[in-house]
């Protein structure tokens, strides 16, 4: 177990190593950030955007919440999204879920957990939308995995419907939207869903399922 002072000591060590290998690293980064990607991921400590994609500071703009949700009245997410699209002009937005997600699994049960119940309602809606398919699966783990994938799909669709994305698509041919699922047991990201920039709102209604 690390103590908090070990975090600070390791930070110093890391900063020194960076300076040795890339002398201009901090000078360049301090001036500006030009990330090409916005990452919307789960808060889970095992799914760290830059670690699992082997990217460096400055490459990915990140928003994380429980179960990587795109909730259309979440002012935090909308602020991040607008800044990423209109100021940073990211070319790709990735919604990345993960198998074994505690939020997904909790949403499949009917226990009351407190405040988080409100948040899990969004996942319960995804379950209801795809109930027939999910309940047809033989095991609990397959049901959880499928809900994880379908949740990513629905959050990508939620993104596409925001006026921030619709406005961007009316003017330019980005950002593209991607749905990915990360495997905790093998460390591999599986791309499962994609909506290309410029897809019309009408087409979104008929967008094919995973
Ligand atoms: Co999770």
């Amino acid at each position: 177990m690390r103590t908090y002072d070990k975090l600070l000591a390791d930070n110093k060590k890391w900063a020194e190593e960076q300076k040795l290998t890339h002398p201009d690293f901090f000078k360049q980064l301090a001036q500006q950030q030009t990330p090409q990607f916005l990452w919307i991921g789960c808060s889970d400590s095992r799914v760290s955007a830059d670690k699992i994609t082997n990217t460096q500071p400055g490459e990915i703009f990140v928003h994380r919440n429980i179960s990587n949700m795109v909730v259309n009245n979440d002012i935090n997410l909308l602020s991040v999204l607008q800044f990423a699209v209109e100021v940073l002009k990211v070319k790709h937005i990735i919604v990345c879920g993960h198998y074994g997600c505690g939020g997904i699994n909790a949403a499949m049960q009917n226990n009351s957990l407190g405040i988080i119940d409100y948040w899990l309602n969004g996942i319960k809606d995804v379950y209801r939308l795809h109930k027939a398919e999910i309940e047809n699966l033989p095991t609990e783990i397959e049901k959880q995995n499928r809900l994880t994938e379908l949740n990513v799909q629905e959050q990508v669709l939620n993104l596409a419907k925001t006026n921030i994305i619709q406005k961007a698509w009316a003017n330019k041919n980005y950002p593209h939207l991607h749905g990915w699922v990360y495997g905790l047991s093998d460390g591999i990201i599986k791309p499962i869903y994609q909506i290309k920039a410029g897809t019309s709102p009408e087409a979104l209604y008929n967008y094919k399922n995973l």
Side-chain angles (χ1 to χ4, degrees), residues 42 44 98 101-102:
C42 184
D44 193 303
H98 65 104
C101 182

Side-chain angles (χ1 to χ4, degrees), residues 32-35 61 79-91 164 172 174:
Q32 60 169 342
Q33 59 167 343
T34 51
F61 199 62
S79 305
V80 169
L81 179 63
Q82 183 170 32
F83 188 77
V85 171
E86 295 180 8
V87 180
L88 298 174
K89 303 186 191 312
V90 297
K91 302 295 181 288
I164 297 164
K172 42 191 166 342
Y174 59 81

Side-chain angles (χ1 to χ4, degrees), residues 84-141:
V85 171
E86 295 180 8
V87 180
L88 298 174
K89 303 186 191 312
V90 297
K91 302 295 181 288
H92 302 272
I93 302 181
I94 297 146
V95 175
C96 188
H98 65 104
Y99 297 116
C101 182
I104 296 285
N105 300 349
M108 290 177 73
Q109 287 148 21
N110 283 318
N111 304 327
S112 179
L113 301 166
I115 296 290
I116 198 177
D117 293 346
Y118 297 107
W119 193 254
L120 298 182
N121 270 339
I123 309 172
K124 286 176 188 278
D125 285 342
V126 176
Y127 185 96
R128 187 164 44 80
L129 206 57
H130 299 279
K131 193 168 189 270
E133 185 195 336
I134 294 168
E135 293 192 346
N136 218 12
L137 292 166
T139 65
E140 200 55 25
I141 196 88

Side-chain angles (χ1 to χ4, degrees), residues 96 99 149 179-183 188-193:
C96 188
Y99 297 116
E149 294 170 354
W180 294 356
V181 180
Y182 173 75
I188 300 295
I189 295 171
K190 190 163 85 174
I192 56 166
Y193 201 68

